[in-house]
Amino acid sequence: MTDTNPLLPLSSNAFEILLALAKEDLHGYAIIQHVSERTKGSLKLHPGTLYRVLARFLDQGLVDEIDESPVADTSDERRRTYRMTERGRIVAAAETRRLADQVRAAKKLKLGESSR
Amino acid sequence: MRRSFSSFCYRHLLRLYPKTHRRRFEHGMLQCFEQLKHEPRYTGPLGRARLWLSALSDVLGNASLIRLSQKASPTVSLQRKSNVLDDLRREVVFAARKLVRRPGFTAVAVATIGIAIGANILVFTIVQATLVNPLPYPEPERVVSVWSDHWFTRAELAFFDERMETMQLAGALSDSVVYLGSETPLQLSGLHVSSHYFSALGVQPLIGRSFDADSADASTLVLSYALWQGLFGGDEAVLGKTMTLDDRPFRVIGVMPKGFASLPLEGELWVPMEMDPSSGNYEGTNEIRVIARLTKDSSDAQALDELRRTVQSRRQEFAHLAFEDYGDGATLTPLHSALTRDFRRPLLVLQVAVVFVLLMACVNVANIALAGASTRTGELSLRSALGASRGQIVRQLTMEGVLIAACGAGVGLITALVFLPMLVGALPFAKPDWLTIGVDRNVLLFAAALAFSSVLAFSVFPAMWSSRRTLNGSLKPSRHSTAAAARVRGVLVASEMALAMILVVAAGLMLKSFVSILDEDLGFTTDRIVTLRLHPSPAKYEEPDQSRVFYRQLLERVRGLPGVDDAGITRRLPLTGAWFTRLHLEGLPSDNDRGHPVQWTPADPGYFRTLKLRLEEGTGFDGTEQASSQPVALVNETFASKFWAEGSPVGRRIRFTGADDAWMTIVGVVTDVKQNGPDGFAFPMIYRPFEQSPVLGMRMVARTSSDPLAAVDSIREAVWDIDSRVPISEVATLRQVLSTSLAEPRLPLVGLAVFAAIALVLGAGGLYGVVSHVISQRTYDIGILFALGAQRREVLWKVVGQGMRPVFIGMSIGLFGSVASSRFLASLLHGVSPTDPVVLVSVCAVLTLTAVIACYIPARRASLIDPTVALRRE
């Protein structure tokens, strides 16, 4: 069992990146697009933030880097794709539980039914 | 892969990252940047500015974070780190001591840089908030303003809404409503909006719901946050309550969140628009503004293409309606650009001007620093003789610059924070909800970037220059090095003068343009006139006769009030525009048989007397006009000269293009008034007697015998004596109305005037400093001149002449720059050419005079030098 505690909580940027990678492997710009679409444009990742977080995830073993063979786009030298590792999935699941727990507590206090 | 220039710059920007990170991710980041660049919100000049601002803050922020986290990691030698920090601290302390020892120089330098950075931050904050920051909606770049020759009618909106697939259309129509639930009757600005309005903007209510897309109940309404707080104290129980507006009940179903931007028109509450096409006509009430949100998978080009096709089919669909004037033109403009169109140019001109001011400030400080460095040659040479490398000397001099710039940025930031609220208050437009003007991360970053680049400009280059001279030279300043330094300072003075010339010419042109606006005859008097807006409830005054009786009674009372000389009513005041309509002229068919476009307003005879509008011809309204009598109208001079250039229009007949409208006889010609703003266009205009064209919401004008605002209370009482439920708003003197309408041309004028004044002071100060320094260096030469028999006057003019040489060179370059850049100003000018010779000559004279004074003061001191003392100094 991986100890995920030291890695939590994840920043909202970091969690969004894991969410984007949960379904499929993506390259950098595709991650930016996925996050923007999911949050209806309210969160716009920029390359600097994206790759800082990806660098950390790679070091922590939450994502892997795969070299995609440049068949479709021959003008491009190489395009790196990122894939969530098993450890990444465990951490994302742990973060989901943590957030769900907080939401449950907030609902119990009737927060969020309507807010000002 | 071919990279563009912007990618080239971005790649260099990535050098801020540690090498390891760059090696791993540079390629990916560049690819992301390349693709981001093509997103709609980053295209166009403003999009590019937005892209670079976000790229700068993204890279600077993240690179610093990564570097900091690496520093914190134990792999870097602690010893080395502490050495570097110690060195740095020592240099900072040393530089600070040096600066403290020269308090005069330090104070002048910090103040100069501080004021310039402060002015830059101020202008940038406004520019960023207005032109760069996107509208507060999700995916704001997809929200566009739709326009096709005219604003839409209900029928057209429904027609387009049904057919357009690339975008979701939403219409808004503004309407004032009367609310009687508070202490005094309130006039609220409401918007009739079509059912997709909130979803097109992409904002959901804070509480409750918005209108159902399919079956909007016409008696429901959504409140703005401010109104909810103001009228209901933010009570959530407001949902389901009934609010009576214009004596009609509406049920509150939702409240929009704080900061929701009501666009394209401002509104405090929203009610569903009745989409019955028959409820539309062409006379002002159907000016529906249409916005749209492009669907996810459609591009701008596809949307425009579809719009144009639909415009074509509209032409066939509505061909039978004579009053519609359809052209083929259709445009889609990003809503943000459409809103900011009018102030983009003035703001950009101010931004450029204020950057010039900063450049001048840097040149000035560089000049003082150079002068300082040349007197410090001995000290620097000694340090180098004792083993300091050139790098260390440059670092020491630069560190002084860094401290000055840091203090300057601090002073600038404080200045900006103090002046920002004042500046926002003086903006020519009431600050709309969507505009948040404030100092944010980008502004701080901008301040840091300015400080950084000013250090480069006024510190690093001069430091490198003087360190080179120091290492080549001896411990004592040589005559040769002094001459070389003088040449460099001459170049700096010339460049300052060139910048000052450009700024002062721009300010001079704006001033002349403003004066020419003021000089124009408004066509009416503004002396002691108070205006207020009345809004009787349409439910109570359903019949035109009721409205006639109300205003008849009111005017009678107000004219009898002590202190009121005369009073009248009109729908639209001068300077604020008027309704557009179309007219048929008897015996003068229009080209397309759809009538001639004109402006019009109803007004009573008292309006013409109160504002002293001159009657040029005919009889004017005499007060006998009745609903049942022969319809009449007055026309303005532009109308008369456009349609009846030869002969008189009096006695001719005109009628509105509606099928049932009766012929009206023209009974007089009144002088043109500036109806569309002080620098607005003159348009053919007609006035209809109020009795024959009664409208409910009117503006009253009253001329008083003393302070016009003193009469407001008694007028208000007179209104509420007749009907206590009539809201009164927009109380102002006509002078205030004029002043507000002048605010737009005043903004670039005031901004440029302030910057030009700063430029003059900086230029004169710089020149004074240089001439003084040269004299102090050349006291010996001056002594020799005296010894050889030169007269004081000769020495005086020789020194002035030498000082003026770079001034004239700079002014010539500046003159050339002014002429070259004149087209940027042209659109802001009214009644003056951008190369107006009077302005150019006057500015040359002012600059020359300022420069002569700046040279004369130190030169006079030189002419009083005692030759024996001077010769002994060498």
Side-chain angles (χ1 to χ4, degrees):
Chain A
M1 175 84 193
T2 315
D3 181 14
T4 55
N5 279 345
L7 303 179
L8 298 185
L10 293 177
S11 70
S12 63
N13 285 340
F15 193 48
E16 282 294 346
I17 293 172
L18 285 185
L19 283 185
L21 291 174
K23 208 166 138 201
E24 56 187 322
D25 302 345
L26 296 170
H27 55 79
Y29 183 65
I31 299 179
I32 294 182
Q33 277 180 312
H34 265 71
V35 171
S36 170
E37 269 167 34
R38 201 208 69 73
T39 60
K40 297 205 177 75
S42 68
L43 182 63
K44 289 260 177 203
L45 279 183
H46 290 281
T49 308
L50 172 70
Y51 282 96
R52 180 171 56 78
V53 177
L54 281 179
R56 207 180 68 219
F57 282 175
L58 286 167
D59 292 346
Q60 293 167 341
L62 306 189
V63 295
D64 265 346
E65 201 170 39
I66 330 158
D67 266 345
E68 208 178 60
S69 57
V71 181
D73 182 8
T74 46
S75 65
D76 215 338
E77 299 145 37
R78 71 209 146 96
R79 177 170 255 186
R80 287 205 181 123
T81 309
Y82 297 90
R83 169 177 297 165
M84 197 199 269
T85 60
E86 196 46 40
R87 183 174 154 82
R89 255 169 229 290
I90 292 169
V91 169
E95 174 70 1
T96 309
R97 279 195 298 277
R98 193 187 68 78
L99 290 174
D101 182 49
Q102 285 185 336
V103 171
R104 258 197 310 278
K107 276 191 174 160
K108 246 185 216 166
L109 295 168
K110 307 226 177 234
L111 293 170
E113 286 181 359
S114 64
S115 55
R116 271 172 219 183
Chain B
M1 188 172 170
R2 267 193 78 232
R3 301 275 191 213
S4 61
F5 178 67
S6 55
S7 303
F8 170 82
C9 296
Y10 188 72
R11 197 167 66 227
H12 281 275
L13 187 64
L14 294 183
R15 285 172 180 270
L16 290 170
Y17 280 100
K19 214 183 260 169
T20 46
H21 187 88
R22 209 167 66 231
R23 267 201 212 121
R24 265 170 102 188
F25 300 115
E26 184 183 73
H27 188 69
M29 291 175 79
L30 267 172
Q31 278 178 336
C32 283
F33 180 78
E34 276 289 321
Q35 280 170 305
L36 276 174
K37 204 165 80 174
H38 298 296
E39 287 191 2
R41 68 196 177 119
Y42 290 137
T43 50
L46 286 172
R48 279 285 181 266
R50 209 175 284 147
L51 174 72
W52 277 107
L53 264 178
S54 55
L56 266 175
S57 74
D58 176 52
V59 171
L60 273 179
N62 285 297
S64 323
L65 279 176
I66 291 174
R67 281 186 183 277
L68 279 174
S69 66
Q70 284 191 347
K71 283 241 163 84
S73 72
T75 47
V76 178
S77 146
L78 281 176
Q79 181 60 41
R80 211 184 120 213
K81 210 169 103 189
S82 85
N83 279 350
V84 170
L85 284 180
D86 277 351
D87 282 356
L88 192 68
R89 200 175 52 229
R90 229 185 351 263
E91 273 164 18
V92 170
V93 170
F94 187 73
R97 260 195 224 136
K98 282 275 165 206
L99 287 178
V100 170
R101 253 181 244 155
R102 292 182 295 157
F105 162 75
T106 311
V108 169
V110 168
T112 310
I113 295 291
I115 290 173
I117 290 187
N120 269 276
I121 293 176
L122 275 178
V123 177
F124 178 77
T125 308
I126 308 271
V127 168
Q128 193 204 216
T130 318
L131 303 183
V132 182
N133 283 353
L135 292 173
Y137 305 124
E139 298 187 89
E141 67 281 357
R142 295 198 161 275
V143 185
V144 293
S145 164
V146 184
W147 166 259
S148 81
D149 297 320
H150 56 251
W151 298 118
F152 287 59
T153 60
R154 285 167 219 268
E156 284 175 277
L157 178 59
F159 178 81
F160 277 87
D161 196 22
E162 214 169 276
R163 284 162 181 76
M164 302 289 289
E165 284 173 359
T166 53
M167 57 181 105
Q168 189 173 43
L169 287 172
L173 179 66
S174 77
D175 187 15
S176 293
V177 287
V178 180
Y179 175 65
L180 300 170
S182 56
E183 258 174 54
T184 52
L186 277 183
Q187 181 188 320
L188 303 175
S189 71
L191 284 191
H192 295 270
V193 295
S194 64
S195 49
H196 297 306
Y197 178 73
F198 294 107
S199 54
L201 292 179
V203 184
Q204 289 306 310
L206 175 67
I207 57 169
R209 60 182 178 86
S210 58
F211 312 123
D212 292 334
D214 301 324
S215 56
D217 179 353
S219 64
T220 52
L221 75 81
V222 173
L223 287 173
S224 70
Y225 185 87
L227 208 56
W228 177 49
Q229 292 290 327
L231 294 182
F232 301 98
D235 182 2
E236 285 181 23
V238 73
L239 294 180
K241 271 194 183 161
T242 299
M243 244 180 117
T244 306
L245 299 170
D246 285 347
D247 292 338
R248 252 185 79 190
F250 286 88
R251 190 161 44 85
V252 179
I253 58 164
V255 175
M256 292 310 285
K258 194 175 182 177
F260 167 68
S262 172
L263 291 175
L265 299 160
E266 289 197 41
E268 297 169 286
L269 55 90
W270 300 269
V271 294
M273 187 186 287
E274 288 173 48
M275 291 306 290
D276 176 10
S278 64
S279 58
N281 61 53
Y282 202 63
E283 311 227 320
T285 51
N286 242 349
E287 296 175 333
I288 299 177
R289 308 290 164 120
V290 177
I291 52 167
R293 176 175 285 273
L294 304 189
T295 52
K296 270 216 158 47
D297 38 2
S298 56
S299 68
D300 289 0
Q302 287 168 329
L304 186 59
D305 191 45
E306 193 193 24
L307 180 68
R308 293 214 165 117
R309 270 184 284 121
T310 318
V311 166
Q312 287 293 336
S313 49
R314 171 183 73 173
R315 182 197 273 278
Q316 291 148 18
E317 176 85 14
F318 292 92
H320 60 287
L321 295 177
F323 59 81
E324 302 291 8
D325 178 25
Y326 294 135
D328 294 331
T331 53
L332 284 181
T333 322
L335 185 56
H336 188 236
S337 313
L339 292 170
T340 53
R341 191 171 13 223
D342 289 346
F343 23 89
R344 187 173 310 151
R345 182 55 68 91
L347 283 178
L348 290 181
V349 164
L350 285 186
Q351 182 69 71
V352 172
V354 81
V355 168
F356 277 19
V357 170
L358 180 68
L359 276 177
M360 286 188 70
C362 288
V363 170
N364 237 352
V365 175
N367 231 331
I368 316 176
L370 268 182
S374 67
T375 53
R376 285 168 70 186
T377 315
E379 171 211 326
L380 298 178
S381 302
L382 188 63
R383 289 197 62 192
S384 113
L386 289 174
S389 68
R390 185 177 168 207
Q392 279 170 323
I393 290 182
V394 170
R395 259 212 330 258
Q396 182 210 323
L397 291 176
T398 307
M399 188 53 76
E400 293 176 22
V402 169
L403 290 185
I404 290 173
C407 295
V411 169
L413 209 55
I414 293 169
T415 318
L417 286 174
V418 170
F419 283 99
L420 191 60
M422 281 188 231
L423 191 68
V424 172
L427 283 181
F429 42 90
K431 195 182 86 56
D433 285 344
W434 57 269
L435 196 61
T436 341
I437 299 180
V439 173
D440 61 5
R441 190 180 62 158
N442 280 347
V443 171
L444 292 179
L445 216 81
F446 180 73
L450 286 183
F452 177 72
S453 37
S454 54
V455 168
L456 272 186
F458 77 72
S459 179
V460 175
F461 297 130
M464 286 171 72
W465 188 84
S466 52
S467 70
R468 199 178 70 222
R469 306 219 71 82
T470 305
L471 298 186
N472 294 343
S474 65
L475 293 179
K476 198 168 168 30
S478 71
R479 186 89 22 109
H480 174 72
S481 71
T482 316
R487 266 200 305 279
V488 172
R489 284 198 297 273
V491 171
L492 292 180
V493 166
S495 52
E496 257 191 300
M497 282 298 154
L499 291 171
M501 181 84 191
I502 294 174
L503 281 180
V504 181
V505 166
L509 287 171
M510 295 307 302
L511 182 67
K512 190 162 181 201
S513 156
F514 195 70
V515 169
S516 93
I517 294 174
L518 291 185
D519 269 356
E520 284 201 22
D521 183 12
L522 293 170
F524 60 92
T525 179
T526 56
D527 278 345
R528 304 191 314 275
I529 296 201
V530 65
T531 80
L532 37 92
R533 187 175 172 188
L534 301 164
H535 193 93
S537 161
K540 188 171 172 191
Y541 296 86
E542 215 171 326
E543 293 301 318
D545 257 344
Q546 293 171 305
S547 155
R548 287 191 185 102
V549 171
F550 170 77
Y551 281 109
R552 230 178 270 153
Q553 283 179 343
L554 178 63
L555 283 168
E556 200 175 311
R557 278 193 188 221
V558 171
R559 285 179 191 138
L561 289 174
V564 174
D565 291 347
D566 210 339
I569 48 171
T570 178
R571 172 67 185 193
R572 297 305 287 265
L573 289 173
L575 307 169
T576 61
W579 280 329
F580 283 89
T581 186
R582 286 177 173 272
L583 284 183
H584 287 309
L585 314 181
E586 199 174 32
L588 213 67
S590 60
D591 292 344
N592 49 14
D593 207 30
R594 289 181 183 134
H596 301 275
V598 298
Q599 286 185 290
W600 83 281
T601 181
D604 83 316
Y607 170 73
F608 298 90
R609 291 195 308 269
T610 309
L611 294 197
K612 299 187 176 165
L613 261 61
R614 286 189 303 276
L615 187 69
E616 302 289 340
E617 219 186 316
T619 57
F621 298 152
D622 54 12
T624 58
E625 299 81 15
Q626 297 300 325
S628 53
S629 62
Q630 164 66 30
V632 292
L634 286 175
V635 299
N636 69 351
E637 283 174 297
T638 305
F639 186 108
S641 61
K642 179 168 179 191
F643 299 120
W644 284 287
E646 288 161 20
S648 163
V650 175
R652 309 250 184 191
R653 297 204 307 162
I654 54 180
R655 75 175 172 86
F656 290 120
T657 48
D660 304 334
D661 280 290
W663 286 99
M664 306 170 273
T665 308
I666 298 174
V667 291
V669 179
V670 285
T671 185
D672 279 344
V673 299
K674 292 274 171 194
Q675 192 68 33
N676 300 302
D679 55 349
F681 53 96
F683 207 77
M685 172 141 183
I686 71 164
Y687 300 89
R688 288 275 294 139
F690 172 76
E691 291 282 341
Q692 292 182 351
S693 285
V695 178
L696 252 190
M698 295 290 281
R699 282 177 170 79
M700 168 169 279
V701 289
R703 197 173 62 241
T704 59
S705 44
S706 56
D707 175 17
L709 287 176
V712 171
D713 282 342
S714 51
I715 295 176
R716 195 178 277 139
E717 267 173 40
V719 175
W720 288 343
D721 266 357
I722 301 172
D723 183 349
S724 62
R725 311 206 316 168
V726 173
I728 297 170
S729 61
E730 296 174 36
V731 179
T733 65
L734 206 49
R735 270 178 206 267
Q736 287 168 334
V737 175
L738 174 65
S739 170
T740 311
S741 65
L742 282 171
E744 200 173 308
R746 202 161 39 208
L747 170 80
L749 167 69
V750 174
L752 281 174
V754 170
F755 299 150
I758 298 178
L760 267 184
V761 172
L762 286 177
L767 185 61
Y768 172 86
V770 167
V771 175
S772 304
H773 182 74
V774 167
I775 288 168
S776 72
Q777 297 276 301
R778 296 184 51 193
T779 313
Y780 180 75
D781 299 354
I782 294 168
I784 289 187
L785 277 178
F786 281 131
L788 292 175
Q791 295 298 307
R792 293 205 181 279
R793 184 181 293 271
E794 280 173 62
V795 171
L796 180 83
W797 290 116
K798 192 176 164 60
V799 175
V800 171
Q802 278 176 354
M804 289 300 286
R805 204 174 302 148
V807 172
F808 285 128
I809 295 173
M811 276 170 59
S812 317
I813 298 170
L815 203 60
F816 182 74
S818 293
V819 175
S821 62
S822 59
R823 69 187 181 93
F824 292 108
L825 274 183
S827 67
L828 300 181
L829 298 176
H830 175 90
V832 51
S833 144
T835 50
D836 186 85
V838 178
V839 171
L840 294 182
V841 170
S842 327
V843 170
C844 285
V846 168
L847 241 67
T848 309
L849 187 70
T850 316
V852 167
I853 295 173
C855 292
Y856 180 83
I857 300 169
R860 193 177 140 71
R861 224 181 302 141
S863 74
L864 298 176
I865 287 174
D866 182 346
T868 51
V869 176
L871 289 172
R872 221 178 290 138
R873 268 185 56 172
E874 186 75 342

